[in-house]
Amino acid sequence: MAFDPTLVVGPELLAQHGIGVVAPFDFALDRELWRWTPDDVSLFMTRLPYVPVPVTVEMASALSDQSIVRQATRDVLAPEPLAVAYACASGSFIGGKAGELQLHQSMLAAGAPVSTTTSGALVESLRLLDVGRIAVVTPYIDSVTERLVSFLGEYDIEVVSSVGMGLLSHIWKVGYGEIVSAVSTVDVPEAEAVFISCTNVPTYDIIAPLEQMIGKPVLTANQVTMCSALRAMGRSAAGPGQSLVQLAPSTAA
């Protein structure tokens, strides 16, 4: 008797759509990105070339090199993703508004059907939530955090409070407790939301509890990146209790 695959999995699970993800060389949270992803959407990952410097303005600038990002975009196009995401916060805000727009355009020029960057996705998400004043938590040294504040200012988004952890490496090892403590420190009444920067900071499990604790939206680098890419495909992310996910329903693709 011939094998019938529908006896093993339902027909609706056979068709997969994909997102190409261009990540920094030290990105360690692939599994976290998948947690926002619906079952019928796959992630096609590639990494930018290694840069032998600590997490500084110099590293972020190297990661935003348009020719490198363009080549990495081409690298993930073979499995025909419906969107390509540049999953790096500092690399996408380090050049300001103009630099982020150039990254976006370079990905489209490489053949991406649609493209998003972490910092562009942050601005998009804040607009969706109608938020203009935020508090910011970063793992960065001050010079990098200041570039984020400047980038947001170009979009008339005011950072009313910020804290940087001063880390130069191994950011993915930051624990949930440290992040919760930083959010508690930085949250002020004037802030309409809190943003936790860097795609190498793990946040999925604490977003909803933090929102309940402080009574306002909590956005994170990986969250805004995935929500934006999925939204571009006409899909919604999976994130129970997360304000951004709840306010970003899928649209017709």
Side-chain angles (χ1 to χ4, degrees), residues 3-16 39-40:
F3 173 66
D4 182 357
T6 63
L7 297 176
V8 181
V9 293
E12 72 279 1
L13 295 182
L14 297 179
Q16 283 281 313
D39 288 341
D40 62 343

Side-chain angles (χ1 to χ4, degrees), residues 9 34 42 53 70 92 114 224 231:
V9 293
W34 279 93
S42 293
V53 295
R70 192 159 45 242
S92 54
V114 295
V224 298
R231 191 181 305 115

Side-chain angles (χ1 to χ4, degrees), residues 58-166:
E58 181 184 1
M59 175 190 277
S61 298
L63 293 174
S64 68
D65 183 294
Q66 291 180 50
S67 63
I68 294 173
V69 173
R70 192 159 45 242
Q71 181 57 55
T73 301
R74 294 192 188 103
D75 291 342
V76 295
L77 293 180
E80 301 180 350
L82 298 183
V84 178
Y86 174 84
C88 180
S90 62
S92 54
F93 66 63
I94 202 68
K97 180 178 181 179
E100 191 280 328
L101 292 173
Q102 288 168 359
L103 274 179
H104 175 75
Q105 289 300 322
S106 70
M107 295 163 71
L108 294 177
V114 295
S115 68
T116 189
T117 75
T118 298
S119 298
L122 170 60
V123 173
E124 176 187 302
S125 299
L126 292 172
R127 295 288 186 254
L128 277 173
L129 291 164
D130 194 26
V131 167
R133 297 190 305 276
I134 66 170
V136 166
V137 172
T138 86
Y140 316 129
I141 59 175
D142 289 347
S143 58
V144 180
T145 300
E146 288 164 5
R147 293 291 190 100
L148 172 58
V149 173
S150 176
F151 168 80
L152 290 170
E154 292 187 81
Y155 285 95
D156 296 321
I157 298 165
E158 182 184 0
V159 176
V160 297
S161 178
S162 67
V163 63
M165 298 180 183

Side-chain angles (χ1 to χ4, degrees), residues 4-52:
D4 182 357
T6 63
L7 297 176
V8 181
V9 293
E12 72 279 1
L13 295 182
L14 297 179
Q16 283 281 313
H17 302 294
I19 298 172
V21 178
V22 176
F25 64 90
D26 62 345
F27 182 69
L29 301 181
D30 302 53
R31 183 180 294 274
E32 174 160 290
L33 293 188
W34 279 93
R35 298 181 71 182
W36 276 286
T37 309
D39 288 341
D40 62 343
V41 176
S42 293
L43 299 182
F44 310 134
M45 305 285 299
T46 192
R47 280 168 170 72
L48 297 168
Y50 174 70
V51 181

